[in-house]
Amino acid sequence: MNGLIKDLLDDNRIKIPNHIAIICDGNGRWAKKKGFPRTFGHRAGTKPIENITRCCSELGVEVLTFYVFSTENWSRSDEEVNFLMKLFMEFFVKLRNEAGENIRVRHIGIRDNLSSELINEIKKTENSTENNSGMILNIALNYGSRSEIADAAKNIMHDIDTGSLSADKINEELISKYMFTSGLPDVDLIIRTSGEMRISNFLLWQSEKAKLWFTNDFWPDFKYDHLKNAIKYYNVIKY
Ligand code: IPE
Ligand code: IPE
Ligand code: MG
């Protein structure tokens, strides 16, 4: 076991959140501060994803979701978007080969405008980890909450039209089943780095009861200590 997480596990007052969702923000500013191009920050940002995945898995978190690319992020320069797409492809390969600890990797988001090469890597990683029984790791890539909700509405209408659903069956539980996160627990804790206190179209439906924890530190500097502080905050603050 990673010695690092032992302090949290040994503290029996601490309840570990079932679903932690992280908005990984500040890669560009982190790089700029060091005099490097933004892309350098994106690459550096993959390290804490790996590290925090390992920590959460060992802590017994059920679901961990990372927001790495929003539906709005296509408006960035072609150079940056292309770099990110290549990086995501490498990252899914890495997850497939190194997703030790019994992790199930899933993609949440719209696939339509992703390249067929990236979709292929995503599918391969999902398929090769789907029989694992440990933590579910969601990668929110080309994800946008409003479009997810709009698609759910469209799919519900479709099922009513084709007769497999009747309108009086629509309730919160049913709507949840039409989300990318169907069957997963709602978000308990949202973490956002880099001092931005926004939700940026992330898991709006699923975060009804979520507590929010922010840090001014940039994502590439995110460490276990940040996670620990966020989990402690989750345990103390009651709305
Ligand atoms: C987060 O870092 C990663 C992505 C959204 C892809 P940013 O790229 O948003 O970095 P800043 O916020 O511009 O510093
Ligand atoms: C959206 O990215 C959130 C992610 C980290 C993927 P931005 O950093 O571009 O967020 P906004 O648009 O500034 O809120
Ligand atoms: Mg940002």
Side-chain angles (χ1 to χ4, degrees):
M1 182 193 290
N2 181 344
L4 269 179
I5 62 147
K6 211 175 161 316
D7 52 350
L8 266 190
L9 282 184
D10 285 351
D11 187 338
N12 57 19
R13 294 164 304 174
I14 295 279
K15 182 184 176 327
I16 301 297
N18 288 328
H19 187 168
I20 300 178
I22 306 183
I23 305 174
C24 312
D25 200 8
N27 292 349
R29 278 165 284 165
W30 180 87
K32 195 172 170 219
K33 211 177 79 185
K34 294 184 177 314
F36 292 117
R38 293 175 59 79
T39 50
F40 189 84
H42 294 314
R43 186 168 289 285
T46 61
K47 282 278 163 282
I49 294 185
E50 290 166 37
N51 182 30
I52 295 306
T53 298
R54 211 169 303 121
C55 292
C56 284
S57 160
E58 290 180 10
L59 283 170
V61 171
E62 259 181 73
V63 184
L64 173 64
T65 303
F66 289 111
Y67 198 14
V68 299
F69 194 87
S70 72
T71 46
E72 290 71 32
N73 286 150
W74 294 104
S75 64
R76 297 186 177 198
S77 72
D78 286 352
E79 191 199 352
E80 185 170 352
V81 169
N82 291 340
F83 179 90
L84 280 167
M85 292 303 147
K86 230 180 106 229
L87 187 67
F88 295 143
M89 219 151 78
E90 282 172 31
F91 192 64
F92 273 95
V93 175
K94 187 152 199 220
L95 282 176
R96 176 160 79 241
N97 295 329
E98 292 175 24
E101 298 133 51
N102 214 9
I103 288 160
R104 284 170 280 180
V105 182
R106 295 183 186 172
H107 165 242
I108 61 170
I110 302 163
R111 295 203 179 173
D112 293 354
N113 41 353
L114 299 178
S115 72
S116 53
E117 290 91 343
L118 176 55
I119 294 173
N120 196 25
E121 295 304 345
I122 290 173
K123 282 186 184 157
K124 272 187 173 164
T125 302
E126 285 183 333
N127 292 341
S128 71
T129 61
E130 78 182 339
N131 292 325
N132 289 345
S133 57
M135 185 178 81
I136 291 174
L137 172 64
N138 287 321
I139 305 294
L141 192 178
N142 197 21
Y143 176 84
S145 198
R146 282 182 156 213
S147 82
E148 177 185 37
I149 293 169
D151 278 346
K154 216 182 291 169
N155 291 332
I156 288 170
M157 275 311 293
H158 173 268
D159 289 350
I160 292 172
D161 283 348
T162 55
S164 60
L165 179 69
S166 78
D168 60 1
K169 290 280 184 304
I170 298 176
N171 57 24
E172 293 180 15
E173 205 184 317
L174 179 116
I175 293 173
S176 293
K177 289 194 180 127
Y178 282 78
M179 299 292 166
F180 291 122
T181 48
S182 174
L184 303 183
D186 278 344
V187 177
D188 299 302
L189 173 64
I190 291 183
I191 294 172
R192 185 168 188 156
T193 54
S194 86
E196 306 300 339
M197 296 186 177
R198 293 191 293 279
I199 291 298
S200 299
N201 205 10
F202 187 45
L203 298 173
L204 302 177
W205 177 266
Q206 296 86 342
S207 298
E208 186 235 346
K209 293 195 193 69
K211 289 177 184 170
L212 311 170
W213 187 83
F214 299 99
T215 172
N216 287 330
D217 292 344
F218 297 132
W219 176 248
D221 288 330
F222 195 90
K223 301 274 177 333
Y224 168 67
D225 268 356
H226 295 89
L227 178 71
K228 188 164 88 176
N229 287 335
I231 292 177
K232 284 185 171 168
Y233 172 85
Y234 166 78
N235 275 270
V236 173
I237 301 293
K238 302 247 182 297
Y239 288 121

